[in-house]
């Protein structure tokens, strides 16, 4: 357990007889076991000392506590971490020592009190907060439930309906709202916080303020009948919203236990449920994604050189289409000054109109004030030439996927932009070396691949070539962070990480449909697995034009392993292009609601005869498990190639690419993590079997074969020397 800089608490006793116990564990004062043991020691000392009348609990450096230390969850799951005996923290430390103490305590909450942090605050006899502090119980995001009494105390402080909402959605509330809810007792400025808490604690002692043990508070809890109705409604909603997840239902059960059988026995029930969930696949997956997401910005050989990101004041974007306007929106929302260049007035007006519409929709939803709208849009300027490019720090090119056009643009940029300016392309398929071929600036050329809509989707693929300088990569990682994207650094290849890994997704679907499987059943099964949409609904959304253009890139570059179906081109010839034309694999009404189309049969029959294949009775009656495996194992196979070629630095980056770029369910841990839960041997044997029956599309790659032969996980690091980067 021991590390050099262990977390701890500190106790200081003032002349007023108040002991201030401060939690110290930078950066967010997380509650490692060291901190919790130290908290108990400080408490025991305060209770023993005759010069201490009352206690204030606070956090160092303007943060109360961000919650239980998540890295110790990981260690316990791997069997490496020591865990105190069951219920020790929740019952013996928090309930029997702090809440039951003969001396009153007040929590002084600044910055954040999340998860275990809020649970510690709730065992105090009162809570004082700053107006902007965030209070919440987000444990469900990690596949867990609150484990230090949160399921019992939060409902007693804010009522059943609000506490269910806070736990099931993991939404935090700010100090002001917490006061209205009864979660805190007063709101004061950071400067006044500790002194107000000290006075409050002495007031409780003098009985001028109420001395309340949250666990036994009953005035906010509904009658049993009413409570059961609220809980059952929450269960029904949860089953609908997250049919594949068990832990939200466990959370509701544990809350109910406290209402039916009393809070004290329910604390042990909560601990047992927590320990059980900690061993679950869901929790292991979500905790893996939590750390994987934070790890994407660490790139060996790049981010460990001590390079400092340069200051970026002005950004230029070329192209005001859907991507360009989305990128512009993301940048001005984070206070970057942006110039948007188009080829003529009409296109420019449309581009700026798109950015305005993106912001207006935030105003409509109430996320943005009109005043903030005016201020944000004033950061955007439209231009028709390169005159104002002389002092930009980065240019992001977002024009159509046309090689010679992009080459011309990059040659122009080299002429007009200052020598330090980063030249970035938002291409999703074209080789960056090709784009910058005729320039002398290859060290500052980089890919900045956003996903559509760019101001909403959380992923940014940063594409480096062998010429891109480390400084430019560090700069772009910093911009990514500032515009609230999760960046992954990838090597240069057709489709990069996300699109390349997922090109077999639609192709596997087409393969099955030509052999008699049902389009709508495939989409239903894949959605049930947890994807936002199946491969056919996705093709409709992207549009057949884009699908054919990107598809042809893969056919050209990976001919031996692409499945060539004419189904989409045949449909496109017949004026069907997907959702935009209201007809694709589905029919769409005015509200974009999709319904099956009986006419699809004739297109499928035509495509089948062009491919020269027959209906295969085995593939017509596939089980759900088989559908999932036939669609996703080719994706896993391609992900293995991307990893083996060194396109991504680590397997966990592919997990984040799948979760944030394609909506792969986070509770399955991402594509490689999920594959490892099934085992390399199993995946290899299935692909091998299908490739013998159906050909090269399913053929397992050398890396997968090698790992399967050793029974090794797919995510284990690749030996350097074999890797290209």
């Amino acid at each position: 357990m021991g590390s050099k800089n262990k977390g701890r608490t500190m106790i200081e006793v003032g002349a007023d007889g108040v002991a201030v116990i401060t939690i110290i564990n930078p950066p967010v004062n997380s509650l490692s076991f060291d901190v919790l043991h130290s908290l108990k020691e400080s408490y025991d000392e305060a209770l023993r000392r005759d010069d201490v009348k009352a206690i204030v609990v606070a956090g160092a450096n303007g943060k109360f506590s961000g919650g239980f230390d998540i890295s110790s969850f990981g260690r316990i799951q791997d069997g490496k971490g020591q865990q105190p005996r069951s219920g020790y923290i929740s019952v013996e430390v928090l309930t029997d020592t702090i809440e039951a103490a003969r001396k009153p305590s007040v929590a002084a909450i600044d910055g954040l009190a999340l998860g275990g942090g809020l649970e510690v605050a709730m065992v105090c006899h009162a809570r004082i907060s700053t107006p902007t502090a965030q209070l919440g119980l987000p444990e469900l995001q990690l596949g867990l439930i609150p484990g230090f009494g949160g399921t019992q105390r939060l409902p007693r402080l804010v009522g059943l309906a609000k506490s269910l909402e806070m736990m099931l959605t993991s939404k935090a509330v700010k100090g002001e709202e917490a006061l209205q809810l009864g979660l805190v007792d007063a709101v004061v400025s950071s400067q006044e916080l500790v002194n107000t808490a000290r006075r409050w604690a002495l007031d409780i002692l003098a009985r001028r303020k109420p001395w309340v043990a949250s666990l036994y508070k009953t005035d906010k809890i509904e009658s049993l009948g009413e409570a059961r109705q609220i809980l059952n409604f929450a269960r029904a909603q949860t089953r609908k919203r997250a049919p594949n997840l068990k832990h939200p239902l466990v959370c509701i059960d544990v809350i109910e236990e406290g209402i039916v059988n009393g809070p004290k026995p329910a604390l042990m029930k909560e601990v047992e449920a927590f320990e059980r969930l900690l061993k679950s696949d869901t929790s292991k997956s979500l905790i893996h994604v939590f750390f994987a997401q934070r790890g994407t910005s660490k790139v060996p050989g790049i981010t460990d050189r001590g390079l400092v990101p340069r200051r970026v004041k002005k950004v230029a974007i070329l192209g005001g289409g859907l991507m360009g306007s989305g990128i512009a929106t993301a940048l001005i929302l984070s206070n970057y000054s942006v110039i948007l260049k188009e080829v003529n007035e009409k296109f420019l007006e449309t581009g700026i109109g798109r950015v305005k519409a993106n912001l207006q929709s935030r105003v409509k939803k109430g996320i943005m004030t009109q005043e903030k709208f005016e201020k944000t849009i004033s950061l955007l300027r439209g231009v028709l030439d390169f005159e104002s490019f002389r002092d930009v720090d980065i240019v992001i090119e977002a024009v159509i996927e046309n090689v010679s056009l992009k080459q011309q643009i990059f040659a122009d940029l080299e002429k007009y932009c200052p020598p330090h300016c980063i030249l970035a392309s938002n291409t999703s398929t074209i080789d960056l070396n090709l784009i910058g071929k005729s320039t002398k600036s290859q060290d500052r050329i980089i890919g900045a691949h956003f996903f559509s809509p760019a101001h909403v989707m959380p992923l940014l693929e940063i594409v480096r070539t062998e010429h891109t300088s480390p400084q430019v990569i560090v700069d772009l990682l910093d911009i990514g962070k500032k515009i609230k994207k999760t960046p992954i650094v990838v090597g240069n290849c057709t489709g990069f990480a996300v699109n390349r890994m997922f090109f077999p997704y639609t192709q596997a679907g087409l393969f099955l449909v030509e052999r008699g499987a049902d389009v709508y059943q495939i989409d239903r099964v894949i959605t049930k697995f947890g994807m936002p949409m199946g491969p056919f609904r996705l093709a409709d959304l992207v549009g057949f034009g884009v699908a054919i253009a990107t598809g042809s890139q893969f056919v050209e570059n990976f001919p031996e392993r692409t499945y060539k179906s004419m189904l989409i081109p045949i449909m496109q010839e017949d004026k069907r292009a997907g959702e935009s034309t209201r007809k694709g694999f589905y029919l769409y009404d005015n509200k974009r609601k999709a319904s099956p189309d009986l006419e699809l049969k004739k297109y499928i029959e035509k495509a089948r005869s062009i491919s020269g294949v027959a209906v295969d009775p085995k593939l017509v009656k596939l089980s759900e498990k088989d559908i999932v495996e036939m669609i996703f194992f080719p994706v896993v196979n391609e992900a293995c190639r991307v990893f083996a070629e060194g396109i991504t630095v680590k397997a966990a980056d592919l997990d984040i690419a799948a979760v944030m770029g394609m909506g792969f369910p986070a509770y399955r841990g991402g594509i490689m993590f999920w594959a490892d839960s099934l085992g390399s041997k199993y995946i290899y044997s299935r692909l091998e079997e299908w490739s013998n029956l159906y050909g090269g599309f399913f053929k397992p790659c050398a890396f997968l074969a090698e790992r399967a032969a050793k029974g090794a996980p797919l995510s284990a690091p690749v030996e350097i020397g074999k890797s290209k980067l």
Side-chain angles (χ1 to χ4, degrees), residues 647-708:
I647 299 296
T648 53
V649 183
K650 47 196 177 294
D653 288 354
L654 288 168
D655 290 332
I656 293 302
V659 170
M660 302 197 125
M662 281 298 293
F664 189 87
Y667 56 80
R668 298 188 190 278
I671 193 79
M672 299 291 271
F673 190 90
W674 173 72
D676 277 336
S677 74
L678 302 171
S680 52
K681 272 191 155 76
Y682 177 69
I683 294 176
Y684 174 79
S685 69
R686 294 290 280 175
L687 285 165
E688 185 63 16
E689 176 194 339
W690 299 328
S691 83
N692 290 333
L693 286 170
Y694 308 114
F697 176 69
F698 291 104
K699 190 173 168 41
C701 66
F703 173 88
L704 180 51
E706 193 183 307
R707 293 273 157 121

Side-chain angles (χ1 to χ4, degrees), residues 229-243:
Q229 273 182 315
I230 295 172
L231 290 159
N232 286 334
F233 179 66
R235 276 191 187 100
Q237 273 195 310
T238 299
R239 282 198 184 99
K240 210 163 83 188
R241 205 182 64 233

Side-chain angles (χ1 to χ4, degrees), residues 236-274:
Q237 273 195 310
T238 299
R239 282 198 184 99
K240 210 163 83 188
R241 205 182 64 233
N244 295 343
L245 299 178
K246 307 267 187 306
H247 68 282
L249 298 169
V250 172
C251 184
I252 297 171
D253 292 343
V254 173
I255 295 170
E256 181 161 39
E257 177 76 21
I259 286 168
V260 177
N261 295 325
K264 195 81 196 257
L267 283 178
M268 274 321 287
K269 198 86 174 169
E270 179 193 77
V271 168
E272 285 155 22
F274 177 87

Side-chain angles (χ1 to χ4, degrees), residues 596-613:
D597 184 2
L598 296 173
E599 280 199 359
L600 203 59
K601 273 203 191 63
K602 65 177 191 200
Y603 300 109
I604 294 170
E605 276 160 18
K606 195 168 171 190
R608 186 178 293 144
S609 70
I610 294 174
S611 292
V613 297

Side-chain angles (χ1 to χ4, degrees), residues 492-509:
N492 185 24
C493 67
T494 305
F496 314 131
V498 179
N499 287 336
R500 175 169 163 192
M501 172 165 69
F502 273 86
F503 86 77
Y505 183 62
T506 311
Q507 291 189 358

